[in-house]
Amino acid sequence: HHLLSEHKDDPAKRVRVMNELGRMYANLHQDYARAAFWWRQAGVEKSHAPPGIAVHLAECYWRLGNKPMAVEFLRKLNPAPYNAIKLWADMGETEQALKIAEAGAKTGGQPFFAYLFAADACRIAGRTKDALSYYQKVVAIPEAEPNKGQIERCRRRAAAAIEAIKLYDASDVKKV
């Protein structure tokens, strides 16, 4: 808040500070009303803000109990960023999440993120066979130089998820 008063004559810095306030209220305090307030003050709804921030604002609307507002805002994002896949899944809209994931995998430069989020969406929905299929796609992606570290992290996460699903499927609750 101090930085807002320090930079009252610099609109670009004020927008950055407001975006950061939104992020801190959402991530650190889970105060979605204040987060939404600051992101709206920064003009996220009206401007070409980073798409990831726009998805976080939609998440605030949803967590505050206004799913229709979140859906309306998410539908305006074109192309939808990868973190929109998770939000659609969290809101129970698995088919919409998978639609975005498939489109992102075909047209985006990072199909490993799209498939990983699609697999997580399927897991949330209880569709373990579909989740396994998407996790296998992540594991099968070859390492490419520009994203080598990200791909490797996603591959390890997908492999761990596959193992967890297999262990869960093999477990017998009656024996516990």
Coordinates of all heavy atoms in Angstrom, one line a residue, residues 73-152:
F73 N -16.3 -14.6 -17.7 CA -15.0 -14.0 -17.8 C -14.0 -15.0 -18.5 O -13.2 -14.6 -19.4 CB -14.4 -13.6 -16.4 CG -13.2 -12.7 -16.5 CD1 -13.2 -11.5 -17.2 CD2 -12.1 -13.1 -15.9 CE1 -12.1 -10.7 -17.3 CE2 -10.9 -12.3 -15.9 CZ -11.0 -11.1 -16.6
L74 N -14.0 -16.2 -18.1 CA -13.2 -17.2 -18.7 C -13.4 -17.4 -20.2 O -12.5 -17.6 -21.0 CB -13.3 -18.6 -18.0 CG -12.6 -18.8 -16.7 CD1 -13.0 -20.1 -16.0 CD2 -11.1 -18.7 -16.9
R75 N -14.7 -17.3 -20.6 CA -15.0 -17.5 -22.0 C -14.5 -16.4 -22.9 O -14.3 -16.6 -24.1 CB -16.5 -17.6 -22.2 CG -17.1 -18.9 -21.6 CD -18.5 -19.2 -22.1 NE -19.2 -20.2 -21.4 CZ -19.0 -21.5 -21.6 NH1 -18.1 -21.9 -22.4 NH2 -19.6 -22.4 -20.9
K76 N -14.2 -15.3 -22.3 CA -13.6 -14.1 -23.1 C -12.2 -14.3 -23.4 O -11.6 -13.6 -24.2 CB -13.8 -12.8 -22.3 CG -15.3 -12.4 -22.2 CD -15.4 -11.1 -21.3 CE -16.8 -10.8 -21.1 NZ -16.9 -9.6 -20.2
L77 N -11.5 -15.2 -22.6 CA -10.0 -15.4 -22.8 C -9.8 -16.2 -24.0 O -10.2 -17.4 -24.1 CB -9.4 -16.1 -21.6 CG -9.6 -15.3 -20.3 CD1 -9.0 -16.1 -19.1 CD2 -8.9 -13.9 -20.4
N78 N -9.1 -15.7 -25.0 CA -8.9 -16.4 -26.3 C -7.5 -16.0 -26.8 O -7.3 -14.8 -27.1 CB -9.9 -16.1 -27.3 CG -9.9 -17.0 -28.5 OD1 -9.2 -18.0 -28.4 ND2 -10.5 -16.6 -29.5
P79 N -6.6 -16.9 -26.8 CA -6.7 -18.3 -26.4 C -6.6 -18.4 -24.8 O -6.1 -17.5 -24.2 CB -5.4 -19.0 -27.0 CG -4.4 -17.9 -27.1 CD -5.2 -16.6 -27.4
A80 N -7.2 -19.4 -24.3 CA -7.2 -19.6 -22.9 C -5.8 -20.1 -22.4 O -5.3 -21.0 -23.0 CB -8.3 -20.6 -22.5
P81 N -5.3 -19.5 -21.4 CA -4.0 -20.0 -20.9 C -4.2 -21.4 -20.2 O -5.3 -21.8 -19.8 CB -3.6 -18.9 -19.8 CG -4.9 -18.3 -19.5 CD -5.8 -18.4 -20.6
Y82 N -3.0 -22.0 -20.0 CA -3.1 -23.4 -19.4 C -3.7 -23.4 -18.0 O -4.4 -24.4 -17.7 CB -1.7 -24.0 -19.4 CG -1.1 -24.2 -20.7 CD1 0.1 -23.6 -21.1 CD2 -1.7 -25.0 -21.7 CE1 0.7 -23.8 -22.4 CE2 -1.2 -25.2 -22.9 CZ 0.0 -24.6 -23.3 OH 0.5 -24.9 -24.5
N83 N -3.5 -22.4 -17.2 CA -4.1 -22.5 -15.9 C -5.6 -22.4 -15.9 O -6.3 -22.7 -14.9 CB -3.5 -21.4 -14.9 CG -3.6 -20.0 -15.3 OD1 -3.9 -19.7 -16.5 ND2 -3.4 -19.1 -14.4
A84 N -6.2 -22.0 -17.0 CA -7.7 -22.0 -17.1 C -8.2 -23.4 -17.1 O -9.3 -23.7 -16.7 CB -8.1 -21.3 -18.4
I85 N -7.4 -24.4 -17.6 CA -7.8 -25.8 -17.6 C -8.1 -26.2 -16.2 O -9.1 -26.9 -15.9 CB -6.6 -26.7 -18.2 CG1 -6.4 -26.3 -19.7 CG2 -7.0 -28.1 -18.1 CD1 -5.1 -26.8 -20.3
K86 N -7.2 -25.9 -15.3 CA -7.4 -26.3 -13.9 C -8.6 -25.7 -13.3 O -9.4 -26.3 -12.6 CB -6.2 -25.9 -13.0 CG -6.3 -26.4 -11.6 CD -5.2 -25.9 -10.7 CE -5.3 -26.3 -9.3 NZ -6.6 -26.4 -8.7
L87 N -8.8 -24.4 -13.5 CA -10.0 -23.7 -13.0 C -11.3 -24.3 -13.5 O -12.2 -24.6 -12.8 CB -9.9 -22.2 -13.3 CG -11.1 -21.4 -12.7 CD1 -11.3 -21.6 -11.2 CD2 -10.9 -19.9 -13.0
W88 N -11.3 -24.6 -14.8 CA -12.5 -25.2 -15.4 C -12.8 -26.5 -14.7 O -13.9 -26.9 -14.3 CB -12.4 -25.4 -16.9 CG -12.7 -24.2 -17.7 CD1 -11.8 -23.5 -18.4 CD2 -13.9 -23.6 -17.9 NE1 -12.4 -22.4 -19.1 CE2 -13.7 -22.5 -18.8 CE3 -15.2 -23.8 -17.5 CZ2 -14.7 -21.6 -19.2 CZ3 -16.2 -22.9 -17.9 CH2 -16.0 -21.9 -18.8
A89 N -11.7 -27.3 -14.5 CA -11.9 -28.6 -13.8 C -12.3 -28.5 -12.4 O -13.2 -29.2 -11.9 CB -10.6 -29.4 -13.9
D90 N -11.7 -27.5 -11.7 CA -12.1 -27.3 -10.3 C -13.6 -26.9 -10.2 O -14.3 -27.2 -9.2 CB -11.3 -26.2 -9.6 CG -9.9 -26.6 -9.4 OD1 -9.6 -27.8 -9.4 OD2 -9.0 -25.7 -9.1
M91 N -14.1 -26.2 -11.2 CA -15.5 -25.7 -11.2 C -16.5 -26.8 -11.6 O -17.7 -26.6 -11.7 CB -15.7 -24.5 -12.1 CG -15.0 -23.3 -11.5 SD -15.4 -21.7 -12.4 CE -15.2 -22.1 -14.1
G92 N -15.9 -28.0 -11.9 CA -16.7 -29.1 -12.4 C -17.0 -29.2 -13.8 O -17.9 -29.9 -14.3
E93 N -16.3 -28.4 -14.6 CA -16.6 -28.3 -16.1 C -15.4 -29.1 -16.8 O -14.6 -28.5 -17.5 CB -16.6 -26.8 -16.5 CG -17.6 -26.0 -15.8 CD -19.0 -26.3 -16.2 OE1 -19.2 -26.9 -17.3 OE2 -20.0 -26.0 -15.4
T94 N -15.4 -30.4 -16.6 CA -14.3 -31.2 -17.1 C -14.2 -31.1 -18.6 O -13.1 -31.1 -19.2 CB -14.5 -32.6 -16.6 OG1 -14.6 -32.6 -15.2 CG2 -13.3 -33.5 -17.0
E95 N -15.3 -31.2 -19.3 CA -15.3 -31.2 -20.8 C -14.7 -29.9 -21.3 O -14.0 -30.0 -22.3 CB -16.7 -31.5 -21.3 CG -17.2 -32.9 -21.1 CD -16.3 -34.0 -21.5 OE1 -15.7 -33.9 -22.6 OE2 -16.1 -34.9 -20.7
Q96 N -15.1 -28.8 -20.7 CA -14.5 -27.5 -21.1 C -13.0 -27.5 -20.9 O -12.3 -27.0 -21.7 CB -15.2 -26.4 -20.4 CG -14.8 -25.0 -20.9 CD -15.1 -24.7 -22.3 OE1 -16.1 -25.2 -22.8 NE2 -14.3 -23.8 -22.9
A97 N -12.6 -28.0 -19.8 CA -11.2 -28.1 -19.4 C -10.4 -28.9 -20.5 O -9.4 -28.5 -21.0 CB -11.0 -28.7 -18.0
L98 N -11.0 -30.1 -20.8 CA -10.3 -31.0 -21.8 C -10.3 -30.3 -23.2 O -9.4 -30.5 -24.0 CB -11.0 -32.3 -21.8 CG -10.9 -33.1 -20.5 CD1 -11.6 -34.4 -20.6 CD2 -9.4 -33.3 -20.1
K99 N -11.4 -29.6 -23.5 CA -11.4 -28.9 -24.8 C -10.3 -27.9 -24.9 O -9.6 -27.9 -26.0 CB -12.8 -28.2 -25.0 CG -13.0 -27.5 -26.2 CD -14.4 -26.9 -26.2 CE -14.5 -25.9 -27.3 NZ -15.8 -25.2 -27.3
I100 N -10.1 -27.2 -23.9 CA -9.0 -26.2 -23.9 C -7.6 -26.9 -23.9 O -6.7 -26.4 -24.6 CB -9.1 -25.2 -22.7 CG1 -10.3 -24.4 -22.8 CG2 -7.9 -24.4 -22.5 CD1 -10.7 -23.6 -21.5
A101 N -7.5 -28.0 -23.2 CA -6.3 -28.7 -23.1 C -5.9 -29.2 -24.5 O -4.8 -29.1 -25.0 CB -6.3 -29.8 -22.1
E102 N -6.9 -29.8 -25.2 CA -6.6 -30.4 -26.5 C -6.2 -29.3 -27.5 O -5.3 -29.5 -28.3 CB -7.8 -31.2 -27.0 CG -8.1 -32.5 -26.3 CD -7.0 -33.5 -26.5 OE1 -6.3 -33.4 -27.5 OE2 -6.9 -34.4 -25.7
A103 N -6.9 -28.2 -27.4 CA -6.6 -27.1 -28.3 C -5.2 -26.5 -28.0 O -4.4 -26.2 -28.9 CB -7.6 -26.0 -28.2
G104 N -4.9 -26.4 -26.7 CA -3.6 -25.9 -26.3 C -2.4 -26.9 -26.7 O -1.3 -26.5 -27.1
A105 N -2.7 -28.2 -26.7 CA -1.7 -29.2 -27.0 C -1.4 -29.1 -28.5 O -0.3 -29.3 -29.0 CB -2.2 -30.6 -26.7
K106 N -2.4 -28.8 -29.3 CA -2.2 -28.7 -30.8 C -1.6 -27.4 -31.3 O -0.8 -27.4 -32.2 CB -3.6 -28.9 -31.5 CG -4.1 -30.3 -31.4 CD -5.5 -30.5 -32.0 CE -6.1 -31.9 -31.7 NZ -7.5 -31.9 -31.9
T107 N -2.0 -26.3 -30.7 CA -1.6 -25.0 -31.2 C -0.5 -24.4 -30.3 O 0.2 -23.5 -30.8 CB -2.8 -24.1 -31.3 OG1 -3.4 -23.9 -30.0 CG2 -3.8 -24.6 -32.3
G108 N -0.5 -24.7 -29.0 CA 0.5 -24.1 -28.1 C 1.9 -24.7 -28.2 O 2.1 -25.7 -28.8
G109 N 2.8 -24.0 -27.7 CA 4.2 -24.4 -27.8 C 4.6 -25.4 -26.6 O 5.7 -25.8 -26.6
Q110 N 3.7 -25.6 -25.7 CA 4.0 -26.5 -24.5 C 2.9 -27.5 -24.3 O 2.2 -27.4 -23.3 CB 4.2 -25.6 -23.3 CG 5.3 -24.6 -23.5 CD 5.3 -23.6 -22.4 OE1 4.3 -23.1 -21.8 NE2 6.5 -23.2 -22.0
P111 N 2.8 -28.5 -25.2 CA 1.8 -29.5 -25.0 C 1.9 -30.3 -23.7 O 0.9 -30.8 -23.2 CB 2.0 -30.5 -26.2 CG 3.4 -30.2 -26.6 CD 3.7 -28.8 -26.3
F112 N 3.1 -30.4 -23.1 CA 3.3 -31.1 -21.9 C 2.5 -30.5 -20.8 O 1.9 -31.2 -19.9 CB 4.8 -31.2 -21.5 CG 5.5 -29.9 -21.6 CD1 5.7 -29.1 -20.5 CD2 6.1 -29.5 -22.8 CE1 6.3 -27.9 -20.5 CE2 6.8 -28.3 -22.8 CZ 6.9 -27.5 -21.7
F113 N 2.3 -29.2 -20.7 CA 1.5 -28.5 -19.7 C 0.0 -28.8 -20.0 O -0.7 -29.1 -19.1 CB 1.7 -27.0 -19.7 CG 2.9 -26.5 -18.9 CD1 3.7 -25.6 -19.5 CD2 3.2 -27.0 -17.7 CE1 4.8 -25.2 -18.8 CE2 4.3 -26.6 -17.0 CZ 5.1 -25.7 -17.5
A114 N -0.4 -28.7 -21.2 CA -1.8 -29.0 -21.6 C -2.2 -30.4 -21.2 O -3.3 -30.6 -20.6 CB -2.0 -28.7 -23.1
Y115 N -1.4 -31.4 -21.5 CA -1.7 -32.8 -21.2 C -1.7 -33.0 -19.7 O -2.5 -33.8 -19.1 CB -0.8 -33.7 -21.9 CG -1.0 -33.8 -23.4 CD1 0.1 -33.9 -24.3 CD2 -2.3 -33.8 -23.9 CE1 -0.1 -34.0 -25.6 CE2 -2.5 -33.9 -25.3 CZ -1.4 -34.0 -26.2 OH -1.6 -34.0 -27.5
L116 N -0.7 -32.4 -19.0 CA -0.6 -32.6 -17.6 C -1.9 -32.0 -16.9 O -2.5 -32.7 -16.0 CB 0.6 -31.9 -17.0 CG 1.0 -32.2 -15.6 CD1 1.3 -33.7 -15.4 CD2 2.2 -31.4 -15.2
F117 N -2.3 -30.8 -17.3 CA -3.5 -30.2 -16.7 C -4.7 -31.0 -17.1 O -5.7 -31.1 -16.3 CB -3.6 -28.8 -17.1 CG -2.6 -27.9 -16.4 CD1 -2.1 -26.8 -17.1 CD2 -2.1 -28.1 -15.1 CE1 -1.2 -25.9 -16.5 CE2 -1.2 -27.3 -14.5 CZ -0.7 -26.2 -15.2
A118 N -4.8 -31.5 -18.3 CA -5.9 -32.4 -18.7 C -6.0 -33.6 -17.8 O -7.1 -34.0 -17.4 CB -5.8 -32.7 -20.2
A119 N -4.8 -34.2 -17.6 CA -4.8 -35.4 -16.7 C -5.3 -35.1 -15.3 O -6.1 -35.9 -14.7 CB -3.4 -36.0 -16.7
D120 N -4.8 -34.0 -14.8 CA -5.3 -33.6 -13.5 C -6.8 -33.3 -13.4 O -7.5 -33.7 -12.5 CB -4.5 -32.3 -13.0 CG -3.0 -32.6 -12.7 OD1 -2.7 -33.8 -12.6 OD2 -2.3 -31.6 -12.6
A121 N -7.3 -32.7 -14.5 CA -8.7 -32.5 -14.6 C -9.5 -33.8 -14.6 O -10.5 -33.9 -13.9 CB -9.1 -31.7 -15.9
C122 N -9.0 -34.8 -15.3 CA -9.7 -36.1 -15.3 C -9.6 -36.8 -14.0 O -10.6 -37.4 -13.5 CB -9.0 -37.0 -16.4 SG -9.4 -36.5 -18.1
R123 N -8.5 -36.6 -13.3 CA -8.4 -37.2 -11.9 C -9.4 -36.5 -11.0 O -10.0 -37.2 -10.2 CB -7.0 -36.9 -11.4 CG -6.1 -38.2 -11.4 CD -4.8 -37.9 -10.9 NE -4.6 -38.5 -9.6 CZ -3.4 -38.6 -9.0 NH1 -2.4 -37.9 -9.4 NH2 -3.3 -39.2 -7.8
I124 N -9.5 -35.2 -11.1 CA -10.5 -34.5 -10.2 C -11.9 -35.1 -10.5 O -12.7 -35.2 -9.5 CB -10.5 -33.0 -10.5 CG1 -9.2 -32.4 -9.9 CG2 -11.7 -32.3 -9.9 CD1 -8.9 -31.0 -10.4
A125 N -12.2 -35.3 -11.7 CA -13.5 -35.8 -12.1 C -13.7 -37.3 -11.9 O -14.8 -37.9 -12.1 CB -13.8 -35.5 -13.6
G126 N -12.7 -38.0 -11.4 CA -12.7 -39.4 -11.1 C -12.6 -40.3 -12.4 O -12.9 -41.5 -12.4
R127 N -12.1 -39.7 -13.5 CA -11.9 -40.4 -14.7 C -10.5 -40.9 -14.8 O -9.7 -40.4 -15.6 CB -12.3 -39.5 -15.9 CG -13.7 -39.1 -15.9 CD -14.1 -38.0 -16.8 NE -13.6 -38.1 -18.2 CZ -13.9 -37.3 -19.1 NH1 -14.7 -36.2 -18.9 NH2 -13.4 -37.4 -20.3
T128 N -10.1 -41.9 -14.0 CA -8.7 -42.3 -13.9 C -8.2 -42.9 -15.2 O -7.0 -42.7 -15.5 CB -8.5 -43.4 -12.8 OG1 -9.4 -44.4 -12.9 CG2 -8.8 -42.7 -11.4
K129 N -9.0 -43.6 -16.0 CA -8.5 -44.2 -17.3 C -8.1 -43.0 -18.2 O -7.0 -43.1 -18.9 CB -9.5 -45.1 -17.9 CG -9.7 -46.4 -17.2 CD -10.7 -47.3 -17.9 CE -10.8 -48.6 -17.2 NZ -11.8 -49.5 -17.8
D130 N -8.9 -42.0 -18.3 CA -8.5 -40.8 -19.1 C -7.3 -40.1 -18.6 O -6.4 -39.7 -19.3 CB -9.7 -39.9 -19.2 CG -10.9 -40.4 -20.0 OD1 -10.7 -41.3 -20.8 OD2 -12.0 -40.0 -19.7
A131 N -7.2 -40.0 -17.2 CA -6.1 -39.4 -16.6 C -4.8 -40.1 -17.0 O -3.8 -39.5 -17.3 CB -6.3 -39.3 -15.1
L132 N -4.8 -41.5 -16.9 CA -3.7 -42.3 -17.2 C -3.3 -42.0 -18.6 O -2.1 -41.9 -19.0 CB -4.0 -43.7 -17.0 CG -3.9 -44.2 -15.5 CD1 -4.4 -45.7 -15.4 CD2 -2.5 -44.1 -15.0
S133 N -4.2 -41.9 -19.5 CA -3.9 -41.7 -20.9 C -3.2 -40.4 -21.1 O -2.2 -40.3 -21.9 CB -5.2 -41.7 -21.7 OG -5.0 -41.3 -23.1
Y134 N -3.7 -39.3 -20.5 CA -3.0 -38.0 -20.6 C -1.7 -38.0 -19.9 O -0.7 -37.4 -20.5 CB -3.9 -36.9 -20.0 CG -5.0 -36.5 -20.9 CD1 -6.4 -36.7 -20.6 CD2 -4.7 -35.8 -22.1 CE1 -7.4 -36.3 -21.4 CE2 -5.8 -35.4 -23.0 CZ -7.1 -35.6 -22.6 OH -8.1 -35.2 -23.5
Y135 N -1.5 -38.6 -18.8 CA -0.2 -38.7 -18.1 C 0.8 -39.4 -19.0 O 1.9 -39.1 -19.1 CB -0.3 -39.4 -16.8 CG -0.9 -38.5 -15.7 CD1 -1.9 -39.1 -14.8 CD2 -0.5 -37.2 -15.5 CE1 -2.5 -38.3 -13.8 CE2 -1.1 -36.5 -14.5 CZ -2.0 -37.0 -13.6 OH -2.6 -36.2 -12.6
Q136 N 0.3 -40.5 -19.7 CA 1.2 -41.2 -20.6 C 1.7 -40.3 -21.8 O 2.8 -40.4 -22.2 CB 0.5 -42.5 -21.2 CG 0.2 -43.6 -20.2 CD 1.5 -44.2 -19.7 OE1 2.6 -44.0 -20.3 NE2 1.4 -45.0 -18.7
K137 N 0.8 -39.5 -22.2 CA 1.2 -38.5 -23.3 C 2.3 -37.6 -22.8 O 3.2 -37.2 -23.6 CB 0.0 -37.7 -23.8 CG -1.0 -38.5 -24.6 CD -2.2 -37.6 -25.0 CE -3.2 -38.4 -25.8 NZ -4.3 -37.6 -26.3
V138 N 2.2 -37.2 -21.6 CA 3.2 -36.3 -21.0 C 4.6 -37.0 -20.9 O 5.6 -36.5 -21.3 CB 2.9 -35.8 -19.6 CG1 4.0 -35.0 -19.0 CG2 1.6 -34.9 -19.7
V139 N 4.5 -38.3 -20.4 CA 5.7 -39.1 -20.3 C 6.4 -39.3 -21.7 O 7.6 -39.4 -21.8 CB 5.4 -40.4 -19.6 CG1 6.6 -41.3 -19.6 CG2 5.0 -40.1 -18.1
A140 N 5.6 -39.4 -22.7 CA 6.0 -39.8 -24.0 C 6.6 -38.6 -24.8 O 7.3 -38.7 -25.8 CB 4.9 -40.4 -24.9
I141 N 6.4 -37.4 -24.3 CA 6.9 -36.2 -25.0 C 8.5 -36.2 -24.9 O 9.0 -36.2 -23.8 CB 6.3 -34.9 -24.4 CG1 4.8 -34.8 -24.7 CG2 7.1 -33.6 -24.9 CD1 4.1 -33.7 -24.1
P142 N 9.1 -36.1 -26.0 CA 10.6 -36.0 -26.0 C 11.1 -34.7 -25.4 O 10.4 -33.6 -25.6 CB 11.0 -36.2 -27.4 CG 9.8 -35.7 -28.2 CD 8.6 -36.0 -27.4
E143 N 12.2 -34.7 -24.8 CA 12.8 -33.4 -24.3 C 13.3 -32.6 -25.4 O 13.9 -33.0 -26.3 CB 14.0 -33.7 -23.4 CG 13.5 -34.3 -22.0 CD 14.7 -34.5 -21.1 OE1 15.7 -33.9 -21.3 OE2 14.6 -35.4 -20.2
A144 N 12.9 -31.3 -25.4 CA 13.3 -30.3 -26.4 C 14.2 -29.3 -25.7 O 13.9 -28.9 -24.5 CB 12.1 -29.7 -27.1
E145 N 15.2 -28.8 -26.3 CA 16.1 -27.9 -25.7 C 15.5 -26.7 -25.1 O 15.9 -26.4 -23.9 CB 17.2 -27.5 -26.7 CG 18.5 -27.0 -26.0 CD 19.0 -27.9 -24.9 OE1 19.1 -29.1 -25.1 OE2 19.3 -27.3 -23.8
P146 N 14.7 -25.9 -25.7 CA 14.2 -24.7 -25.0 C 13.5 -24.9 -23.7 O 13.5 -24.1 -22.9 CB 13.3 -24.0 -26.1 CG 13.2 -24.9 -27.2 CD 14.1 -26.1 -27.0
N147 N 12.8 -26.0 -23.6 CA 11.9 -26.3 -22.4 C 12.4 -27.5 -21.7 O 11.6 -28.2 -21.0 CB 10.5 -26.4 -22.8 CG 9.9 -25.2 -23.5 OD1 10.2 -24.1 -23.1 ND2 9.1 -25.4 -24.5
K148 N 13.6 -27.9 -21.8 CA 14.1 -29.2 -21.3 C 13.8 -29.4 -19.8 O 13.3 -30.4 -19.4 CB 15.6 -29.3 -21.5 CG 16.2 -30.6 -21.2 CD 17.6 -30.7 -21.6 CE 18.2 -32.1 -21.3 NZ 19.6 -32.2 -21.7
G149 N 14.1 -28.4 -19.0 CA 13.8 -28.5 -17.5 C 12.3 -28.6 -17.2 O 11.9 -29.4 -16.4
Q150 N 11.5 -27.8 -17.9 CA 10.1 -27.9 -17.7 C 9.5 -29.2 -18.1 O 8.7 -29.8 -17.4 CB 9.3 -26.8 -18.4 CG 9.6 -25.4 -17.9 CD 8.9 -24.3 -18.7 OE1 8.8 -24.4 -19.9 NE2 8.4 -23.3 -18.1
I151 N 9.9 -29.7 -19.2 CA 9.4 -31.0 -19.7 C 9.8 -32.1 -18.7 O 9.0 -32.9 -18.4 CB 10.0 -31.3 -21.1 CG1 9.4 -30.3 -22.1 CG2 9.7 -32.7 -21.6 CD1 10.0 -30.4 -23.5
E152 N 11.1 -32.1 -18.3 CA 11.5 -33.1 -17.4 C 10.7 -33.1 -16.1 O 10.3 -34.1 -15.5 CB 13.0 -33.0 -17.1 CG 13.6 -34.1 -16.2 CD 13.3 -35.5 -16.7 OE1 13.3 -35.7 -17.9 OE2 13.1 -36.4 -15.9

